[in-house]
Every structure is written in C-alpha cells, then in structure tokens.
C-alpha cells in the first residue's frame, strides 16, 4: 500500500463516518477556548470542562483575568494537572493579550505564540477552530496515532508530524482531521490497548497490517 493510498483510505473513512468531529472542550468565545486549550495540556477535556464554568464566571474576559493574581486563578483550576504553572501562564497570557492586542485573541500562529504558555499546538487549535484557517494541531494523541497507523514514519517531534500531515491532507480537511485523530486516539486507538477489532480504518492501518502479516507467517 502506498502512502497516498493510506491517506486516501483513512480520510475517506473518517469523512463518511465522522463528518462532524469537533473539539470536546466547552467554550463560547475565542478567549474561553484559548483558556480551555491551555488548561487541557496533559489533562483530560472532561476535567477541564468541570473547572471552566466557575473560572469563566469569575474571569469572563481577558481584562478580568489580567487583573487577577495566580493564587486567585489557582483556586479555580487546582484539580487540573500542573495548576501552579498554568495559573501563572493564564494571568501572564491575559496581561499580554490586553496590552498587545486589546483583549482580542490573535488569528495567526505567530502572534498567538507570543502569549505566555501558548505553544504551536495551542495556536493551531485556535486558528483552526476560531478562525477557520487550515492548520494541524499535533498533541500527544495525534503524534502517537499518526505514527501508529502509518501517516508518518519515525517522526521525532510534533513539528515533523504536523508538516507530514499538512503535506498529504487537503487544506480544507486539516481542521477536521485534527479532531479525527484526537478522537480516534482517545476512544479507539488507545495507547495501551487499542480496540483494533472495532477500528474502521484497520484496512489502512500500518501497525494492524503488520500484525496480521506476522500472525499469518506464524501460522504457516
């Protein structure tokens, strides 16, 4: 199977069976999504969704968050992973957002990554979901799943994975493909016990095909 065939098969299956894949984070504004994505690093979306309602009620906009102290923010997010660091980052992010951008969440990766605690993955999520730009955010799920199923080969870091996926996935599908891979990694192609028997893209999965070939060889 060629790489082109693998991409075509996987994209085709997801397009048919998961046409409306989207983020599981709850948000109403670009500011809320930015905060939620920052909180989601090394943490589940479910946990983030539990803490953000009270957080957004107390700090409904960048200005209010910029005026807070990290200790105040910590009390609202202490159940997420790395709450001390995230509290520091959220306040510093909001301060720069207000000072440099008038409280408006930027629409470019370059500007977003000037904000404290905002890396390329978070920036790609924002420009994709909020502004509808073609971007591929690579988190741990995307990095792992893309390599396992064969969309990438020996990627050493998320940027390499991002570039490989952007090269082969049509621009208009990049944002949706990000969610396809995340949700697939979260619920089907899990890290420790992948549910290969329930996997719709198994016919194009490099790892699955290798396992089947090994099993046939062993039986022979």
């Amino acid at each position: 199977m060629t790489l082109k065939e693998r991409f075509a098969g996987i994209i085709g299956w997801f397009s048919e069976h998961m046409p409306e894949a989207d983020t599981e984070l709850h948000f109403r504004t670009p500011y809320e999504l930015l905060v939620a994505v920052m909180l989601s690093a090394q943490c589940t979306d479910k946990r983030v969704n539990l803490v953000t309602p009270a957080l957004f009620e107390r700090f409904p906009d960048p200005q209010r968050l910029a005026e807070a102290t990290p200790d105040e923010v910590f009390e609202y997010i202490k159940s997420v992973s790395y709450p001390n660091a995230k509290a520091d980052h959220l306040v510093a992010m909001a301060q720069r957002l207000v000072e440099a951008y008038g409280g408006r969440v930027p629409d470019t990766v370059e500007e977003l990554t000037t904000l404290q605690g905002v890396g390329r993955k978070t920036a790609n999520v924002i420009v994709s979901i909020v502004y509808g730009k073609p971007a591929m955010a690579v988190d741990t799920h995307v990095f792992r799943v893309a390599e396992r199923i064969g969309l990438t080969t020996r990627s050493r870091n998320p940027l390499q994975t991002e570039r490989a996926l952007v090269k082969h996935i049509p621009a208009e599908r990049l944002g949706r493909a990000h969610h396809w891979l995340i949700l697939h990694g979260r619920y089907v192609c899990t890290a420790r016990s992948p549910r290969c028997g329930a996997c719709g893209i198994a016919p194009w999965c490099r790892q699955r095909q290798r396992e089947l070939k090994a099993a046939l060889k062993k039986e022979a």
Side-chain angles (χ1 to χ4, degrees):
M1 181 184 303
T2 66
L3 184 61
K4 183 178 180 180
E5 290 171 336
R6 177 169 287 118
F7 267 95
I10 290 173
I11 291 172
W13 189 90
F14 279 127
S15 296
E16 179 179 354
H17 297 278
M18 296 178 64
E20 303 301 323
D22 207 343
T23 181
E24 294 186 315
L25 291 170
H26 298 165
F27 71 98
R28 296 166 297 184
T29 66
Y31 157 73
E32 289 189 356
L33 179 61
L34 178 55
V35 170
V37 176
M38 291 175 67
L39 289 174
S40 70
Q42 304 300 314
C43 188
T44 65
D45 288 359
K46 182 178 180 179
R47 169 55 54 185
V48 173
N49 289 336
L50 290 175
V51 305
T52 49
L55 178 69
F56 294 148
E57 182 176 359
R58 176 65 180 82
F59 309 108
D61 53 51
Q63 184 65 52
R64 300 285 184 85
L65 185 57
E67 295 168 353
T69 66
D71 287 342
E72 288 180 280
V73 175
F74 173 86
E75 290 303 315
Y76 291 88
I77 67 169
K78 57 188 177 184
S79 66
V80 305
S81 58
Y82 309 108
N84 287 295
K86 289 179 180 178
D88 289 339
H89 289 164
L90 286 173
V91 172
M93 176 277 292
Q95 290 172 345
R96 177 162 175 76
L97 197 59
V98 171
E99 294 169 2
Y101 302 104
R104 180 181 181 274
V105 175
D107 62 356
T108 70
V109 170
E110 292 72 23
E111 290 175 311
L112 283 161
T113 50
T114 68
L115 302 174
Q116 182 75 17
V118 177
R120 187 173 182 84
K121 184 269 290 186
T122 296
N124 276 327
V125 170
I126 300 303
V127 300
S128 173
I129 295 178
V130 175
Y131 297 108
K133 295 185 176 183
M136 171 55 67
V138 178
D139 68 353
T140 54
H141 287 302
V142 174
F143 184 79
R144 172 177 56 79
V145 171
E147 188 70 18
R148 177 184 277 172
I149 66 180
L151 299 183
T152 60
T153 301
R154 294 189 293 276
S155 287
R156 293 189 295 272
N157 55 60
L159 183 56
Q160 285 189 343
T161 296
E162 178 187 334
R163 288 171 174 168
L165 296 177
V166 168
K167 180 179 179 180
H168 295 284
I169 297 175
E172 68 274 12
R173 295 179 185 262
L174 276 175
R176 194 71 69 194
H178 160 71
H179 298 299
W180 288 337
L181 294 174
I182 285 179
L183 296 173
H184 193 65
R186 188 174 290 165
Y187 299 113
V188 180
C189 194
T190 52
R192 295 185 179 181
S193 302
R195 300 171 55 228
C196 297
C199 179
I201 64 171
W204 303 279
C205 173
R206 180 175 61 197
Q207 181 61 30
R208 183 59 172 166
Q209 296 309 306
R210 285 175 176 173
E211 292 173 352
L212 292 175
K213 287 181 180 179
L216 290 174
K217 186 176 181 180
K218 185 176 181 180
E219 291 178 0

